[in-house]
Amino acid sequence: MKLFLDSTRCQGYGLCQEHAPDLVELDEWGYAAVLAADVPPGEEETARACAASCPNSALRLEK
């Protein structure tokens, strides 16, 4: 499973980082940066919650 960020959709809410601090960090302006495109084993539910938390659908998961 991979986590992808569409940075053009990110508005800097930071909800994704709250749900998945090991997968996403925020830059100095509060915009998301995906730390690990490959979701580690056991982090799938966290990644789903992270992607679902984004109000602008900037994050998506693919198998």
Side-chain angles (χ1 to χ4, degrees), residues 27-43:
D27 68 13
E28 60 194 81
W29 298 283
Y31 292 93
V34 175
L35 290 178
D38 291 318
V39 177
E43 294 288 326

Side-chain angles (χ1 to χ4, degrees), residues 4-63:
F4 294 94
L5 170 68
D6 180 347
S7 59
T8 63
R9 293 176 154 260
C10 181
Q11 296 294 307
Y13 292 105
L15 298 173
C16 55
Q17 203 272 334
E18 289 179 21
H19 287 279
D22 294 336
L23 300 175
V24 177
E25 70 177 23
L26 303 180
D27 68 13
E28 60 194 81
W29 298 283
Y31 292 93
V34 175
L35 290 178
D38 291 318
V39 177
E43 294 288 326
E44 292 88 0
E45 287 301 315
T46 301
R48 283 187 189 92
C50 173
S53 72
C54 183
N56 292 342
S57 301
L59 293 163
R60 73 179 192 281
L61 291 171
E62 290 184 7
K63 290 187 179 188

